[in-house]
Amino acid sequence: MKMIEMLVKVFTFFRDGFTQMTVGRTLWKIIFIKFFVMFAVLEVFFFPNYLETNFETDKQRGDYVLEQLTRTSATN
Amino acid sequence: MIDVDPSLVNWSRAQFAFTAMFHWIFVPLTLGLSVLCAFFELIYLKTGNEEWKRITRFWMTLFAINFACGIATGIILEFQFGTNWSNYSWMVGDIFAAPLAIEGLFAFFIEAGFFAVMFFGWNRVSKGFHCFSTCMVAVGSNLSAVWILIANAWMQNPVGMLFNADSARFEMNNFAEVVFNPVAIAKFTHTSSSCFVVGATFVIAVSCWYLIKKRHVDMARKSIVVASVFGLVSSFFVAFTGDESAYVIGQKQPMKLAAIEGLYKGERGAGLVVFGIVNDKKVAGDAQDAFLFEVTIPQALSVLANRELGSFVPGIDDLVYGNAEENIMGVNTKMEKGKLAVADLTAFKQAKKDKDADAAEEALARFNVNEEFLGYGYLDTPEEAVPPVSLVFNSFHLMVVVGTFLPLIFGAFLFFSLKGTLMEKRWLLPVGIFSSVLAMLAQQAGWVTAEVGRQPWAIQGLMPVKIATTNLSATAVQVSFTAFAVVFSLLLIAEVSIMLKAIAAGPEGHRK
């Protein structure tokens, strides 16, 4: 019971805090826009993870990187 | 020869540098202002004077705006690791996972808990608990920076790890060595104290603007006293930790120190260049003078680098070509060992492919002998190990000059505030506003010194940037660079305008 009361108090604390915000509203809007732009636009279209996208397993990724580290030795 | 397009490496570096410098506009202010907010609230708690509460809440509002502006600007760096620096991010994944996870946990618990109390908790929790929460936000923000700086320090001085040739990864084998890396300790103490200085100059700058406009005069004067004391103490700590930082660089990254000082020929009792004009045409190994003009303090560089008068400080030529007399191995020798390491790693890979366990074991044993020189195996010439001397020298000296002036500015503000004549010294108020720009400039110059000074290395001695980069087309990086630059420039305009509006509105204009 005490646990529930505590959770309700915490919920009310955050709810009241968020509803009474003034500058905070604008800041949250900025934060959400930023996250949207980053994760839905920049990451998807401009910054794909190269190894995650091109290889399926860690073994393949490790082999690829090892290949990159040793591809120069023949010409050195 | 390495078959990586140099323009790809340069674009990837430029993009990372631009993002990191953008991120670092907000971080120092967050770290510095959080501590100042805690001080303002401690004064309120001690005095019970409602004016201090009003002051605290105003600076907290500006802190929140800066915090919101800075949020997620560092995430782009992580995107770039995966896209532009995939070889590097794969190899360091095991080392960076722990510090970055701890940093994430710190951020989560602070932001979800104490941060909420700091902003939503006025009149809802006790004064003492509210003040404790504000202090915890300050402590937590600074501690979360520790972990990022530990990761950065590992790149400057890789310790506490082994290279796993099977998985092509560096694996952590000693967490304590990574955490207590001397470079990390020097970097954190120097960086955090310089962030405090930035926070102090910001408070002074905004307050000076109010004094010029004759608005919120009492709040501005009180804020200036607190900020100038805090700034003055922090400035001395910056100087002290800067000295330690230079010592650690001298021990762990002598090439960086040589570039910082434009020192080509090593010497005993080396002098410290206070002011100099670097000869841009000078290259390692030639007979030209390093400076067109310079003023030095005799012996000071030897003391800075080794804590010993008359001690030898290696120059760029000693480090590139070696100096048998001083027992310094040159880059040319290290390159030979590095090329053996690369060849043995290749043999290991081939033996694994051929399923020849004995040959693989032998190749690995040979590789381990020269493993520490691996990165040198990828250099084409010994001179490639030299960072851009002019840029490193100038950025370092810019940082030092600004760092020398700031305590004088803090001292002047404190002196005239205590004397009660600050309002009569109208000339000082624009200086106060400008001090914030100077402090930010010094921060950026410091990071340019640290990061350009360790070129060509992504990981000191083990991995040059041209091996760390993903083999993409330079055009792909140029496109993502442009997209990022456009989006972030627009966001920066929006965010700065919110900050300026909040400052213009003053303490009455905001609550949360």
PDB file of all heavy atoms in Angstrom, chain A residues 14 16 20 22-24 34 37-38 47-48 50 67 69-73 75, chain B residues 2-3 68-69 71-72 82-83 112 124 346 349 378 487-488 495 510 512:
ATOM      1  N   PHE A  14       5.707  14.582 -10.910  1.00  0.00           N
ATOM      2  CA  PHE A  14       6.137  14.791 -12.299  1.00  0.00           C
ATOM      3  C   PHE A  14       5.006  15.437 -13.118  1.00  0.00           C
ATOM      4  O   PHE A  14       5.255  16.349 -13.921  1.00  0.00           O
ATOM      5  CB  PHE A  14       6.575  13.466 -12.943  1.00  0.00           C
ATOM      6  CG  PHE A  14       8.010  13.116 -12.640  1.00  0.00           C
ATOM      7  CD1 PHE A  14       8.348  12.359 -11.520  1.00  0.00           C
ATOM      8  CD2 PHE A  14       9.040  13.554 -13.463  1.00  0.00           C
ATOM      9  CE1 PHE A  14       9.667  12.045 -11.235  1.00  0.00           C
ATOM     10  CE2 PHE A  14      10.372  13.245 -13.182  1.00  0.00           C
ATOM     11  CZ  PHE A  14      10.676  12.492 -12.064  1.00  0.00           C
ATOM     12  N   ASP A  16       2.490  17.381 -12.158  1.00  0.00           N
ATOM     13  CA  ASP A  16       2.349  18.809 -11.830  1.00  0.00           C
ATOM     14  C   ASP A  16       3.518  19.618 -12.366  1.00  0.00           C
ATOM     15  O   ASP A  16       3.346  20.724 -12.868  1.00  0.00           O
ATOM     16  CB  ASP A  16       2.262  18.994 -10.302  1.00  0.00           C
ATOM     17  CG  ASP A  16       0.971  18.410  -9.751  1.00  0.00           C
ATOM     18  OD1 ASP A  16       0.097  18.055 -10.574  1.00  0.00           O
ATOM     19  OD2 ASP A  16       0.849  18.308  -8.515  1.00  0.00           O
ATOM     20  N   GLN A  20       3.005  22.592 -15.148  1.00  0.00           N
ATOM     21  CA  GLN A  20       3.243  23.990 -14.745  1.00  0.00           C
ATOM     22  C   GLN A  20       4.453  24.630 -15.436  1.00  0.00           C
ATOM     23  O   GLN A  20       4.843  25.748 -15.123  1.00  0.00           O
ATOM     24  CB  GLN A  20       3.432  24.057 -13.216  1.00  0.00           C
ATOM     25  CG  GLN A  20       2.131  23.812 -12.469  1.00  0.00           C
ATOM     26  CD  GLN A  20       2.347  23.534 -10.990  1.00  0.00           C
ATOM     27  OE1 GLN A  20       3.391  23.842 -10.439  1.00  0.00           O
ATOM     28  NE2 GLN A  20       1.361  22.930 -10.353  1.00  0.00           N
ATOM     29  N   THR A  22       6.818  26.571 -18.021  1.00  0.00           N
ATOM     30  CA  THR A  22       6.645  27.714 -18.940  1.00  0.00           C
ATOM     31  C   THR A  22       7.734  27.642 -20.023  1.00  0.00           C
ATOM     32  O   THR A  22       7.482  27.178 -21.127  1.00  0.00           O
ATOM     33  CB  THR A  22       6.709  29.049 -18.170  1.00  0.00           C
ATOM     34  OG1 THR A  22       7.889  29.057 -17.381  1.00  0.00           O
ATOM     35  CG2 THR A  22       5.498  29.240 -17.287  1.00  0.00           C
ATOM     36  N   VAL A  23       8.958  28.035 -19.660  1.00  0.00           N
ATOM     37  CA  VAL A  23      10.083  27.910 -20.603  1.00  0.00           C
ATOM     38  C   VAL A  23      10.305  26.444 -20.953  1.00  0.00           C
ATOM     39  O   VAL A  23      10.654  26.100 -22.089  1.00  0.00           O
ATOM     40  CB  VAL A  23      11.381  28.493 -19.983  1.00  0.00           C
ATOM     41  CG1 VAL A  23      12.525  28.419 -20.976  1.00  0.00           C
ATOM     42  CG2 VAL A  23      11.162  29.909 -19.536  1.00  0.00           C
ATOM     43  N   GLY A  24      10.079  25.592 -19.973  1.00  0.00           N
ATOM     44  CA  GLY A  24      10.302  24.159 -20.151  1.00  0.00           C
ATOM     45  C   GLY A  24       9.542  23.578 -21.334  1.00  0.00           C
ATOM     46  O   GLY A  24      10.026  22.679 -22.020  1.00  0.00           O
ATOM     47  N   LYS A  34      14.786  17.706 -31.927  1.00  0.00           N
ATOM     48  CA  LYS A  34      16.174  17.293 -32.103  1.00  0.00           C
ATOM     49  C   LYS A  34      16.293  15.759 -32.178  1.00  0.00           C
ATOM     50  O   LYS A  34      16.966  15.227 -33.062  1.00  0.00           O
ATOM     51  CB  LYS A  34      17.002  17.817 -30.931  1.00  0.00           C
ATOM     52  CG  LYS A  34      18.223  18.513 -31.427  1.00  0.00           C
ATOM     53  CD  LYS A  34      19.167  19.029 -30.414  1.00  0.00           C
ATOM     54  CE  LYS A  34      18.690  19.573 -29.131  1.00  0.00           C
ATOM     55  NZ  LYS A  34      19.737  20.273 -28.406  1.00  0.00           N
ATOM     56  N   VAL A  37      14.883  14.570 -35.525  1.00  0.00           N
ATOM     57  CA  VAL A  37      15.806  14.852 -36.640  1.00  0.00           C
ATOM     58  C   VAL A  37      16.996  13.887 -36.591  1.00  0.00           C
ATOM     59  O   VAL A  37      17.420  13.339 -37.603  1.00  0.00           O
ATOM     60  CB  VAL A  37      16.293  16.322 -36.581  1.00  0.00           C
ATOM     61  CG1 VAL A  37      17.449  16.555 -37.541  1.00  0.00           C
ATOM     62  CG2 VAL A  37      15.152  17.269 -36.907  1.00  0.00           C
ATOM     63  N   MET A  38      17.494  13.646 -35.379  1.00  0.00           N
ATOM     64  CA  MET A  38      18.678  12.801 -35.269  1.00  0.00           C
ATOM     65  C   MET A  38      18.401  11.343 -35.590  1.00  0.00           C
ATOM     66  O   MET A  38      19.107  10.723 -36.384  1.00  0.00           O
ATOM     67  CB  MET A  38      19.251  12.903 -33.862  1.00  0.00           C
ATOM     68  CG  MET A  38      20.029  14.168 -33.695  1.00  0.00           C
ATOM     69  SD  MET A  38      20.844  14.189 -32.140  1.00  0.00           S
ATOM     70  CE  MET A  38      21.325  15.876 -32.102  1.00  0.00           C
ATOM     71  N   PHE A  47      23.683   8.535 -41.548  1.00  0.00           N
ATOM     72  CA  PHE A  47      24.683   7.898 -40.694  1.00  0.00           C
ATOM     73  C   PHE A  47      24.342   6.437 -40.377  1.00  0.00           C
ATOM     74  O   PHE A  47      24.192   6.076 -39.209  1.00  0.00           O
ATOM     75  CB  PHE A  47      24.846   8.680 -39.383  1.00  0.00           C
ATOM     76  CG  PHE A  47      25.424  10.057 -39.553  1.00  0.00           C
ATOM     77  CD1 PHE A  47      24.611  11.172 -39.493  1.00  0.00           C
ATOM     78  CD2 PHE A  47      26.785  10.231 -39.783  1.00  0.00           C
ATOM     79  CE1 PHE A  47      25.128  12.449 -39.654  1.00  0.00           C
ATOM     80  CE2 PHE A  47      27.319  11.510 -39.941  1.00  0.00           C
ATOM     81  CZ  PHE A  47      26.494  12.613 -39.886  1.00  0.00           C
ATOM     82  N   PRO A  48      24.217   5.586 -41.395  1.00  0.00           N
ATOM     83  CA  PRO A  48      23.979   4.166 -41.087  1.00  0.00           C
ATOM     84  C   PRO A  48      25.244   3.576 -40.474  1.00  0.00           C
ATOM     85  O   PRO A  48      26.356   3.981 -40.814  1.00  0.00           O
ATOM     86  CB  PRO A  48      23.709   3.557 -42.466  1.00  0.00           C
ATOM     87  CG  PRO A  48      24.409   4.452 -43.424  1.00  0.00           C
ATOM     88  CD  PRO A  48      24.360   5.835 -42.835  1.00  0.00           C
ATOM     89  N   TYR A  50      28.003   1.248 -40.433  1.00  0.00           N
ATOM     90  CA  TYR A  50      28.577   0.503 -41.563  1.00  0.00           C
ATOM     91  C   TYR A  50      28.643  -1.001 -41.291  1.00  0.00           C
ATOM     92  O   TYR A  50      28.209  -1.815 -42.121  1.00  0.00           O
ATOM     93  CB  TYR A  50      29.966   1.063 -41.867  1.00  0.00           C
ATOM     94  CG  TYR A  50      30.601   0.443 -43.078  1.00  0.00           C
ATOM     95  CD1 TYR A  50      30.269   0.864 -44.358  1.00  0.00           C
ATOM     96  CD2 TYR A  50      31.536  -0.580 -42.945  1.00  0.00           C
ATOM     97  CE1 TYR A  50      30.847   0.287 -45.479  1.00  0.00           C
ATOM     98  CE2 TYR A  50      32.124  -1.160 -44.057  1.00  0.00           C
ATOM     99  CZ  TYR A  50      31.783  -0.726 -45.315  1.00  0.00           C
ATOM    100  OH  TYR A  50      32.358  -1.304 -46.411  1.00  0.00           O
ATOM    101  N   GLU A  67      40.737  -7.781 -42.015  1.00  0.00           N
ATOM    102  CA  GLU A  67      41.099  -7.623 -43.434  1.00  0.00           C
ATOM    103  C   GLU A  67      41.595  -6.195 -43.695  1.00  0.00           C
ATOM    104  O   GLU A  67      42.587  -5.979 -44.387  1.00  0.00           O
ATOM    105  CB  GLU A  67      39.854  -7.924 -44.287  1.00  0.00           C
ATOM    106  CG  GLU A  67      40.116  -8.067 -45.767  1.00  0.00           C
ATOM    107  CD  GLU A  67      41.025  -9.247 -46.090  1.00  0.00           C
ATOM    108  OE1 GLU A  67      40.882 -10.309 -45.462  1.00  0.00           O
ATOM    109  OE2 GLU A  67      41.917  -9.065 -46.951  1.00  0.00           O
ATOM    110  N   LEU A  69      42.917  -4.216 -41.523  1.00  0.00           N
ATOM    111  CA  LEU A  69      44.200  -3.996 -40.829  1.00  0.00           C
ATOM    112  C   LEU A  69      45.367  -4.630 -41.564  1.00  0.00           C
ATOM    113  O   LEU A  69      46.514  -4.214 -41.396  1.00  0.00           O
ATOM    114  CB  LEU A  69      44.141  -4.582 -39.411  1.00  0.00           C
ATOM    115  CG  LEU A  69      43.229  -3.903 -38.406  1.00  0.00           C
ATOM    116  CD1 LEU A  69      43.229  -4.672 -37.088  1.00  0.00           C
ATOM    117  CD2 LEU A  69      43.685  -2.473 -38.162  1.00  0.00           C
ATOM    118  N   THR A  70      45.080  -5.639 -42.372  1.00  0.00           N
ATOM    119  CA  THR A  70      46.177  -6.382 -43.019  1.00  0.00           C
ATOM    120  C   THR A  70      46.222  -6.168 -44.531  1.00  0.00           C
ATOM    121  O   THR A  70      47.135  -6.654 -45.182  1.00  0.00           O
ATOM    122  CB  THR A  70      46.032  -7.897 -42.746  1.00  0.00           C
ATOM    123  OG1 THR A  70      44.718  -8.300 -43.146  1.00  0.00           O
ATOM    124  CG2 THR A  70      46.229  -8.203 -41.290  1.00  0.00           C
ATOM    125  N   ARG A  71      45.296  -5.423 -45.063  1.00  0.00           N
ATOM    126  CA  ARG A  71      45.242  -5.298 -46.522  1.00  0.00           C
ATOM    127  C   ARG A  71      46.425  -4.529 -47.074  1.00  0.00           C
ATOM    128  O   ARG A  71      46.674  -4.568 -48.270  1.00  0.00           O
ATOM    129  CB  ARG A  71      43.928  -4.649 -46.957  1.00  0.00           C
ATOM    130  CG  ARG A  71      43.833  -3.141 -46.729  1.00  0.00           C
ATOM    131  CD  ARG A  71      42.405  -2.670 -46.843  1.00  0.00           C
ATOM    132  NE  ARG A  71      42.154  -1.607 -45.907  1.00  0.00           N
ATOM    133  CZ  ARG A  71      42.059  -0.330 -46.266  1.00  0.00           C
ATOM    134  NH1 ARG A  71      42.176   0.015 -47.516  1.00  0.00           N
ATOM    135  NH2 ARG A  71      41.831   0.604 -45.362  1.00  0.00           N
ATOM    136  N   THR A  72      47.136  -3.843 -46.216  1.00  0.00           N
ATOM    137  CA  THR A  72      48.241  -3.009 -46.698  1.00  0.00           C
ATOM    138  C   THR A  72      49.581  -3.737 -46.680  1.00  0.00           C
ATOM    139  O   THR A  72      50.528  -3.283 -47.277  1.00  0.00           O
ATOM    140  CB  THR A  72      48.383  -1.787 -45.780  1.00  0.00           C
ATOM    141  OG1 THR A  72      48.592  -2.278 -44.483  1.00  0.00           O
ATOM    142  CG2 THR A  72      47.171  -0.917 -45.845  1.00  0.00           C
ATOM    143  N   SER A  73      49.640  -4.868 -45.960  1.00  0.00           N
ATOM    144  CA  SER A  73      50.963  -5.455 -45.705  1.00  0.00           C
ATOM    145  C   SER A  73      51.658  -5.913 -46.987  1.00  0.00           C
ATOM    146  O   SER A  73      52.866  -5.866 -47.092  1.00  0.00           O
ATOM    147  CB  SER A  73      50.836  -6.623 -44.737  1.00  0.00           C
ATOM    148  OG  SER A  73      50.065  -7.629 -45.331  1.00  0.00           O
ATOM    149  N   THR A  75      51.740  -4.526 -49.795  1.00  0.00           N
ATOM    150  CA  THR A  75      52.370  -3.423 -50.525  1.00  0.00           C
ATOM    151  C   THR A  75      53.413  -2.698 -49.709  1.00  0.00           C
ATOM    152  O   THR A  75      54.084  -1.818 -50.206  1.00  0.00           O
ATOM    153  CB  THR A  75      51.301  -2.400 -50.972  1.00  0.00           C
ATOM    154  OG1 THR A  75      50.567  -2.003 -49.826  1.00  0.00           O
ATOM    155  CG2 THR A  75      50.407  -2.980 -52.031  1.00  0.00           C
TER     156      THR A  75
ATOM    157  N   ILE B   2      48.942   3.068 -48.328  1.00  0.00           N
ATOM    158  CA  ILE B   2      47.588   2.779 -47.860  1.00  0.00           C
ATOM    159  C   ILE B   2      46.610   3.270 -48.931  1.00  0.00           C
ATOM    160  O   ILE B   2      46.697   4.413 -49.374  1.00  0.00           O
ATOM    161  CB  ILE B   2      47.313   3.530 -46.543  1.00  0.00           C
ATOM    162  CG1 ILE B   2      48.398   3.235 -45.518  1.00  0.00           C
ATOM    163  CG2 ILE B   2      45.944   3.205 -46.003  1.00  0.00           C
ATOM    164  CD1 ILE B   2      48.457   1.859 -45.012  1.00  0.00           C
ATOM    165  N   ASP B   3      45.686   2.403 -49.310  1.00  0.00           N
ATOM    166  CA  ASP B   3      44.792   2.785 -50.400  1.00  0.00           C
ATOM    167  C   ASP B   3      43.511   3.454 -49.886  1.00  0.00           C
ATOM    168  O   ASP B   3      42.400   3.081 -50.230  1.00  0.00           O
ATOM    169  CB  ASP B   3      44.451   1.567 -51.269  1.00  0.00           C
ATOM    170  CG  ASP B   3      43.840   0.446 -50.458  1.00  0.00           C
ATOM    171  OD1 ASP B   3      43.954   0.488 -49.221  1.00  0.00           O
ATOM    172  OD2 ASP B   3      43.258  -0.467 -51.054  1.00  0.00           O
ATOM    173  N   ALA B  68      19.222  21.857 -22.296  1.00  0.00           N
ATOM    174  CA  ALA B  68      18.326  21.367 -23.359  1.00  0.00           C
ATOM    175  C   ALA B  68      18.969  21.566 -24.740  1.00  0.00           C
ATOM    176  O   ALA B  68      18.842  20.720 -25.622  1.00  0.00           O
ATOM    177  CB  ALA B  68      16.999  22.096 -23.292  1.00  0.00           C
ATOM    178  N   CYS B  69      19.667  22.694 -24.902  1.00  0.00           N
ATOM    179  CA  CYS B  69      20.344  22.964 -26.188  1.00  0.00           C
ATOM    180  C   CYS B  69      21.446  21.929 -26.436  1.00  0.00           C
ATOM    181  O   CYS B  69      21.671  21.506 -27.567  1.00  0.00           O
ATOM    182  CB  CYS B  69      20.966  24.355 -26.197  1.00  0.00           C
ATOM    183  SG  CYS B  69      19.769  25.667 -26.118  1.00  0.00           S
ATOM    184  N   ILE B  71      21.640  18.870 -25.165  1.00  0.00           N
ATOM    185  CA  ILE B  71      21.194  17.472 -25.156  1.00  0.00           C
ATOM    186  C   ILE B  71      21.315  16.875 -26.551  1.00  0.00           C
ATOM    187  O   ILE B  71      20.924  17.493 -27.537  1.00  0.00           O
ATOM    188  CB  ILE B  71      19.731  17.369 -24.641  1.00  0.00           C
ATOM    189  CG1 ILE B  71      19.740  17.042 -23.162  1.00  0.00           C
ATOM    190  CG2 ILE B  71      18.909  16.375 -25.404  1.00  0.00           C
ATOM    191  CD1 ILE B  71      18.393  16.826 -22.547  1.00  0.00           C
ATOM    192  N   ALA B  72      21.859  15.697 -26.606  1.00  0.00           N
ATOM    193  CA  ALA B  72      21.913  14.882 -27.836  1.00  0.00           C
ATOM    194  C   ALA B  72      22.872  15.411 -28.900  1.00  0.00           C
ATOM    195  O   ALA B  72      23.012  14.778 -29.940  1.00  0.00           O
ATOM    196  CB  ALA B  72      20.523  14.731 -28.436  1.00  0.00           C
ATOM    197  N   GLY B  82      30.044   4.910 -35.965  1.00  0.00           N
ATOM    198  CA  GLY B  82      29.520   3.756 -36.709  1.00  0.00           C
ATOM    199  C   GLY B  82      29.625   3.912 -38.211  1.00  0.00           C
ATOM    200  O   GLY B  82      29.812   2.935 -38.933  1.00  0.00           O
ATOM    201  N   THR B  83      29.494   5.150 -38.700  1.00  0.00           N
ATOM    202  CA  THR B  83      29.486   5.365 -40.149  1.00  0.00           C
ATOM    203  C   THR B  83      30.889   5.625 -40.688  1.00  0.00           C
ATOM    204  O   THR B  83      31.342   4.935 -41.602  1.00  0.00           O
ATOM    205  CB  THR B  83      28.592   6.581 -40.501  1.00  0.00           C
ATOM    206  OG1 THR B  83      27.320   6.377 -39.917  1.00  0.00           O
ATOM    207  CG2 THR B  83      28.432   6.715 -42.006  1.00  0.00           C
ATOM    208  N   ALA B 112      16.511  11.853 -14.329  1.00  0.00           N
ATOM    209  CA  ALA B 112      15.158  11.431 -13.960  1.00  0.00           C
ATOM    210  C   ALA B 112      14.839  11.775 -12.511  1.00  0.00           C
ATOM    211  O   ALA B 112      13.691  11.959 -12.151  1.00  0.00           O
ATOM    212  CB  ALA B 112      15.008   9.931 -14.182  1.00  0.00           C
ATOM    213  N   ARG B 124       7.892  22.096  -2.856  1.00  0.00           N
ATOM    214  CA  ARG B 124       7.248  20.782  -2.759  1.00  0.00           C
ATOM    215  C   ARG B 124       8.111  19.793  -1.967  1.00  0.00           C
ATOM    216  O   ARG B 124       7.613  18.773  -1.506  1.00  0.00           O
ATOM    217  CB  ARG B 124       6.966  20.219  -4.147  1.00  0.00           C
ATOM    218  CG  ARG B 124       6.061  21.147  -4.943  1.00  0.00           C
ATOM    219  CD  ARG B 124       5.527  20.474  -6.157  1.00  0.00           C
ATOM    220  NE  ARG B 124       4.639  19.375  -5.805  1.00  0.00           N
ATOM    221  CZ  ARG B 124       3.960  18.694  -6.694  1.00  0.00           C
ATOM    222  NH1 ARG B 124       4.051  18.959  -7.976  1.00  0.00           N
ATOM    223  NH2 ARG B 124       3.158  17.721  -6.312  1.00  0.00           N
ATOM    224  N   THR B 346      49.041 -10.470 -40.634  1.00  0.00           N
ATOM    225  CA  THR B 346      48.560 -11.010 -41.911  1.00  0.00           C
ATOM    226  C   THR B 346      48.801 -12.516 -41.964  1.00  0.00           C
ATOM    227  O   THR B 346      47.924 -13.290 -42.395  1.00  0.00           O
ATOM    228  CB  THR B 346      49.303 -10.319 -43.080  1.00  0.00           C
ATOM    229  OG1 THR B 346      49.207  -8.914 -42.908  1.00  0.00           O
ATOM    230  CG2 THR B 346      48.699 -10.709 -44.419  1.00  0.00           C
ATOM    231  N   LYS B 349      46.275 -14.238 -39.824  1.00  0.00           N
ATOM    232  CA  LYS B 349      44.963 -14.301 -40.486  1.00  0.00           C
ATOM    233  C   LYS B 349      44.953 -15.420 -41.537  1.00  0.00           C
ATOM    234  O   LYS B 349      44.015 -16.203 -41.613  1.00  0.00           O
ATOM    235  CB  LYS B 349      44.673 -12.946 -41.154  1.00  0.00           C
ATOM    236  CG  LYS B 349      43.322 -12.847 -41.813  1.00  0.00           C
ATOM    237  CD  LYS B 349      43.206 -11.610 -42.665  1.00  0.00           C
ATOM    238  CE  LYS B 349      44.036 -11.740 -43.916  1.00  0.00           C
ATOM    239  NZ  LYS B 349      43.941 -10.628 -44.842  1.00  0.00           N
ATOM    240  N   TYR B 378      51.651   1.323 -40.450  1.00  0.00           N
ATOM    241  CA  TYR B 378      50.771   1.880 -41.478  1.00  0.00           C
ATOM    242  C   TYR B 378      51.259   3.238 -41.988  1.00  0.00           C
ATOM    243  O   TYR B 378      50.636   3.816 -42.877  1.00  0.00           O
ATOM    244  CB  TYR B 378      49.346   2.027 -40.932  1.00  0.00           C
ATOM    245  CG  TYR B 378      48.760   0.707 -40.483  1.00  0.00           C
ATOM    246  CD1 TYR B 378      48.549   0.448 -39.124  1.00  0.00           C
ATOM    247  CD2 TYR B 378      48.430  -0.279 -41.401  1.00  0.00           C
ATOM    248  CE1 TYR B 378      48.033  -0.761 -38.705  1.00  0.00           C
ATOM    249  CE2 TYR B 378      47.919  -1.496 -40.982  1.00  0.00           C
ATOM    250  CZ  TYR B 378      47.722  -1.731 -39.634  1.00  0.00           C
ATOM    251  OH  TYR B 378      47.220  -2.929 -39.223  1.00  0.00           O
ATOM    252  N   VAL B 487      21.317  21.277 -40.472  1.00  0.00           N
ATOM    253  CA  VAL B 487      20.360  21.005 -39.381  1.00  0.00           C
ATOM    254  C   VAL B 487      20.834  21.637 -38.072  1.00  0.00           C
ATOM    255  O   VAL B 487      20.066  22.311 -37.372  1.00  0.00           O
ATOM    256  CB  VAL B 487      20.174  19.474 -39.209  1.00  0.00           C
ATOM    257  CG1 VAL B 487      19.431  19.161 -37.920  1.00  0.00           C
ATOM    258  CG2 VAL B 487      19.438  18.896 -40.400  1.00  0.00           C
ATOM    259  N   PHE B 488      22.126  21.443 -37.755  1.00  0.00           N
ATOM    260  CA  PHE B 488      22.613  21.947 -36.476  1.00  0.00           C
ATOM    261  C   PHE B 488      22.751  23.467 -36.455  1.00  0.00           C
ATOM    262  O   PHE B 488      22.598  24.076 -35.399  1.00  0.00           O
ATOM    263  CB  PHE B 488      23.930  21.258 -36.104  1.00  0.00           C
ATOM    264  CG  PHE B 488      23.687  20.023 -35.300  1.00  0.00           C
ATOM    265  CD1 PHE B 488      23.006  18.952 -35.866  1.00  0.00           C
ATOM    266  CD2 PHE B 488      24.069  19.920 -33.984  1.00  0.00           C
ATOM    267  CE1 PHE B 488      22.732  17.814 -35.125  1.00  0.00           C
ATOM    268  CE2 PHE B 488      23.792  18.792 -33.236  1.00  0.00           C
ATOM    269  CZ  PHE B 488      23.135  17.734 -33.813  1.00  0.00           C
ATOM    270  N   GLU B 495      18.188  27.820 -30.639  1.00  0.00           N
ATOM    271  CA  GLU B 495      18.554  27.663 -29.229  1.00  0.00           C
ATOM    272  C   GLU B 495      19.177  28.943 -28.653  1.00  0.00           C
ATOM    273  O   GLU B 495      18.848  29.341 -27.528  1.00  0.00           O
ATOM    274  CB  GLU B 495      19.519  26.477 -29.100  1.00  0.00           C
ATOM    275  CG  GLU B 495      18.817  25.159 -29.360  1.00  0.00           C
ATOM    276  CD  GLU B 495      19.764  24.012 -29.683  1.00  0.00           C
ATOM    277  OE1 GLU B 495      20.952  24.258 -29.942  1.00  0.00           O
ATOM    278  OE2 GLU B 495      19.288  22.883 -29.676  1.00  0.00           O
ATOM    279  N   HIS B 510      10.603  34.026 -15.773  1.00  0.00           N
ATOM    280  CA  HIS B 510      10.599  32.570 -15.854  1.00  0.00           C
ATOM    281  C   HIS B 510      10.336  31.918 -14.516  1.00  0.00           C
ATOM    282  O   HIS B 510      10.673  32.436 -13.487  1.00  0.00           O
ATOM    283  CB  HIS B 510      11.941  32.082 -16.390  1.00  0.00           C
ATOM    284  CG  HIS B 510      12.269  32.760 -17.671  1.00  0.00           C
ATOM    285  ND1 HIS B 510      11.612  32.473 -18.811  1.00  0.00           N
ATOM    286  CD2 HIS B 510      13.124  33.754 -17.940  1.00  0.00           C
ATOM    287  CE1 HIS B 510      12.074  33.252 -19.770  1.00  0.00           C
ATOM    288  NE2 HIS B 510      12.987  34.034 -19.260  1.00  0.00           N
ATOM    289  N   LYS B 512       9.844  27.867 -14.676  1.00  0.00           N
ATOM    290  CA  LYS B 512      10.392  26.513 -14.838  1.00  0.00           C
ATOM    291  C   LYS B 512      10.876  26.304 -16.240  1.00  0.00           C
ATOM    292  O   LYS B 512      10.358  26.860 -17.162  1.00  0.00           O
ATOM    293  CB  LYS B 512       9.326  25.468 -14.521  1.00  0.00           C
ATOM    294  CG  LYS B 512       9.107  25.343 -13.034  1.00  0.00           C
ATOM    295  CD  LYS B 512       7.920  24.480 -12.732  1.00  0.00           C
ATOM    296  CE  LYS B 512       7.668  24.454 -11.231  1.00  0.00           C
ATOM    297  NZ  LYS B 512       6.407  23.887 -10.875  1.00  0.00           N
TER     298      LYS B 512
END
